[in-house]
Amino acid sequence: MHIRVIASVAALTLLGSGTAWAGSADEDRQPDLRSFYSQQIKWGACKGLAHAPKGLECGTVKVPLDYADPGKETLQLAMARFKASVKKPRGSVVLNFGGPGGPGVPGLAGGEKVFGELTNAYDVVSFDPRGVGRSAPVTCGDGSDMPELEPPGEDGDEAVLALDMLKAQYEVCRKHSGPVLAHMGTVDVSRDLDVIRAALGDKKLNYLGFSYGTRLGAVYTAQFPKKVGRMVLDGVDTLTEPLAEQALVGAKGQQTALDNFVTWCAGNTGCALGPNSREAKENIVKLVKQLNSDPVQSMFGQFTGEDLVAAMGHALYQRDLWPYLSQGLLSLLTDGDPRTLLRISGALVLPAPDEAAPVQRRDIGPYEEDVPFDNSTAALVAVNCADDPDRLTAADLKDEEGIKQLEADFTRASPVFGPARLYEVLLCAGRPKGTDYIRNIEDVDSPKFLMVGTRGDPATPYQWTTETARRLGDSAVVLDNKGEGHTGYASSKCVRGKVNAFLLYGSLPSDGSSCGPEVH
């Protein structure tokens, strides 16, 4: 039965528990949260952070593990900032780089040049959300104690066995992660964000969120509409679809981006996929299947179709990586050399010239220590599962025809990315419902905020921007970025200019205005 695919994705098997919608949590109405809202951040040197730039300061903010019972356990959230370059800044602007599962502290450390203009008015701040980076990181361990799915007997029910395995794997993750695993939903992170706002000394939250960070920002506008300052959501996540539909639309978006790359590649001399765009699209599908059945053997180990899909997924996030992806495909097909593709996906670590150790593949962590290698993946699955109010049930998984139909739908959406996106949905199956915050976010009563949607975005399709804007109501102002890649701020001078003009000066573009594609 097709449900067997779940057993091969042990590294992703982290199922978070749901958190009820908290409603408005204004500190004036919550005297038991007063100690959290009255704290001040002690800023100092950033210890243990790889490649920390000069001027970056770090600190922590304390938040309750469970907002329903804030008198018990607490969490320390890792914080970082670049101080404003002016004597009297207008406060802070908080950045979230997405994921979910992306740590903000190293993200800010690597973005000094990109976000430097914002220091003309703000302290530029980011944080590792709960369960991420150095903020009580979740993990499923090194995989050595993960249970595996046993083949069913003649009368065995494979769907039941798969569900039992998932529950057992979740218990392993819970053992390694501790109590934070049950409190990983965006509703809790949004409440953390308001505590951070108060700890920074800001009456209003000025915020720039990317990808998943837009989901966080939208939830914040619903929970704390009177605390919204200048807010920008770039690469807008959906609020209207359950996880299965999100993944399906996401697969379509990735396929559109891949088709755009393949068309570009076929128009250039030396494209390894062929000179005809239609033939090139067919060849990329064949190549993935071929590598899965017969991986390339090299000094870096096996390079499979799944490895190729991962590399392409990373490359499609940035238009500037297209030439490297084309070069990597050429090296793979002509020389059996996957190095360029492995570098693109971040899976290749080359030793220093004087090291005798063999080249190894591993996950690259942003910190020198303390953060489990699987943290980003573990946190992503935990948050997405916790946020999904319409997970597949045990009955759904036992419906073999229904599973086959899902496989057909995802393969039709993208023969390349569809199967991997379906795995994300199956991983949450059989768990209790997640939060139902989606049903609570509509026509938010907040100041106007800016939403940026990119036409060629492979991760957050442009349709999500317009759909979410309609749901959020008149406060949402849409900027149409007619470019490629995931989000627009870092890749489009036009987008960055309009976003900075709003954050720095309050100059909001008209709804429906656009930025043209960057010239390459």
Side-chain angles (χ1 to χ4, degrees):
M1 188 174 174
H2 303 280
I3 208 68
R4 188 185 298 273
V5 297
I6 299 176
S8 66
V9 202
L12 291 177
T13 311
L14 179 64
L15 304 178
S17 300
T19 306
W21 170 258
S24 177
D26 192 293
E27 63 268 33
D28 296 334
R29 305 177 193 175
Q30 298 286 345
D32 55 338
L33 296 176
R34 196 168 298 167
S35 63
F36 299 101
Y37 276 93
S38 62
Q39 68 185 298
Q40 294 182 340
I41 304 172
K42 295 180 180 179
W43 298 102
C46 296
K47 299 178 181 179
L49 178 65
H51 312 299
K54 183 179 180 180
L56 187 73
E57 298 178 325
C58 289
T60 59
V61 167
K62 183 173 68 173
V63 297
L65 172 70
D66 183 356
Y67 279 90
D69 195 358
K72 292 188 176 180
E73 295 178 81
T74 61
L75 303 170
Q76 295 287 340
L77 304 183
M79 305 285 300
R81 75 170 179 181
F82 286 112
K83 291 190 69 174
S85 59
V86 293
K87 291 184 178 180
K88 294 184 178 181
R90 68 180 314 272
S92 303
V93 59
V94 180
L95 311 184
N96 181 280
F97 299 103
V105 173
L108 182 62
E112 181 180 12
K113 293 182 179 179
V114 177
F115 303 104
E117 187 178 347
L118 295 177
T119 61
N120 292 337
Y122 297 99
D123 292 340
V124 181
V125 178
S126 193
F127 67 105
D128 291 358
R130 57 172 58 211
V132 175
R134 285 190 166 173
S135 298
V138 294
T139 175
C140 292
D142 61 7
S144 61
D145 53 350
M146 272 290 180
E148 296 183 359
L149 178 64
E150 296 293 334
E154 185 175 339
D155 299 323
D157 189 328
E158 194 161 357
V160 171
L161 288 174
L163 287 170
D164 288 344
M165 181 218 43
L166 287 174
K167 292 176 182 178
Q169 288 184 342
Y170 169 72
E171 289 302 317
V172 171
C173 298
R174 190 170 64 86
K175 179 186 73 174
H176 287 288
S177 298
V180 69
L181 185 58
H183 301 276
M184 287 287 290
T186 300
V187 170
D188 281 324
V189 182
S190 174
R191 300 191 74 172
D192 293 344
L193 188 56
D194 198 55
V195 173
I196 289 171
R197 171 199 59 77
L200 291 169
D202 292 339
K203 293 183 178 180
K204 305 280 187 178
L205 175 70
N206 304 302
Y207 178 80
L208 173 55
F210 300 96
S211 193
Y212 163 77
T214 69
R215 188 197 312 174
L216 174 59
V219 172
Y220 186 90
T221 64
Q223 283 187 298
F224 305 97
K226 303 306 180 185
K227 300 297 183 182
V228 174
R230 295 175 184 175
M231 177 170 288
V232 180
L233 311 179
D234 183 3
V236 181
D237 203 351
T238 180
L239 297 174
T240 60
E241 299 166 343
L243 186 61
E245 292 181 31
Q246 290 180 39
L248 190 61
V249 173
K252 292 178 181 177
Q254 286 181 295
Q255 187 63 46
T256 297
L258 179 60
D259 289 346
N260 292 341
F261 160 75
V262 169
T263 299
W264 168 86
C265 180
N268 290 283
T269 304
C271 177
L273 301 173
N276 177 280
S277 61
R278 181 176 179 180
E279 178 183 338
K281 292 174 184 178
E282 294 173 351
N283 286 339
I284 201 72
V285 175
K286 292 177 182 178
L287 180 59
V288 170
K289 292 180 178 179
Q290 177 185 332
L291 288 171
N292 275 331
S293 60
D294 185 18
V296 166
Q297 306 293 330
S298 73
M299 63 182 296
F300 312 105
Q302 289 190 340
F303 186 83
T304 68
E306 293 177 2
D307 292 323
L308 176 58
V309 169
M312 292 190 297
H314 280 78
L316 295 174
Y317 268 39
Q318 294 179 251
R319 174 63 175 74
D320 291 343
L321 291 178
W322 286 12
Y324 298 100
L325 177 57
S326 179
Q327 176 187 342
L329 289 168
L330 182 62
S331 297
L332 178 70
L333 290 172
T334 57
D335 302 322
D337 183 355
R339 278 180 296 181
T340 299
L341 295 171
L342 290 170
R343 288 194 186 101
I344 290 173
S345 64
L348 178 62
V349 180
L350 292 176
D354 58 345
E355 290 183 8
V359 176
Q360 295 181 344
R361 294 175 57 189
R362 64 175 176 85
D363 288 340
I364 301 174
Y367 295 107
E368 294 176 350
E369 54 187 14
D370 299 338
V371 180
F373 80 96
D374 70 330
N375 173 243
S376 291
T377 300
L380 181 147
V381 178
V383 174
N384 281 340
C385 290
D387 281 0
D388 183 20
D390 297 301
R391 298 174 182 168
L392 295 179
T393 65
D396 293 326
L397 292 184
K398 294 178 74 172
D399 177 8
E400 186 170 356
E401 291 303 316
I403 294 296
K404 287 181 178 179
Q405 184 59 53
L406 270 178
E407 286 187 321
D409 291 342
F410 274 82
T411 301
R412 186 163 49 250
S414 173
V416 174
F417 297 104
R421 300 306 295 261
L422 177 57
Y423 295 163
E424 299 173 12
V425 178
L426 296 177
L427 288 172
C428 297
R431 302 300 299 174
K433 283 190 175 182
T435 62
D436 60 353
Y437 73 86
I438 292 175
R439 300 181 179 91
N440 293 271
I441 300 180
E442 192 170 7
D443 294 323
V444 295
D445 184 20
S446 72
K448 288 186 179 294
F449 53 87
L450 182 60
M451 303 176 68
V452 182
T454 299
R455 292 285 178 165
D457 195 316
T460 50
Y462 181 77
Q463 73 181 72
W464 285 356
T465 301
T466 55
E467 290 173 356
T468 303
R470 285 194 296 270
R471 188 173 186 87
L472 294 176
D474 294 337
S475 295
V477 174
V478 172
L479 175 62
D480 181 358
N481 177 31
K482 302 182 185 298
E484 302 288 343
H486 185 36
T487 73
Y489 186 88
S491 60
S492 168
K493 293 180 181 178
C494 173
V495 170
R496 187 159 60 251
K498 291 182 182 296
V499 168
N500 287 354
F502 174 53
L503 290 173
L504 294 171
Y505 313 114
S507 177
L508 193 64
S510 58
D511 186 38
S513 59
S514 65
C515 284
E518 290 288 299
V519 178
H520 292 273

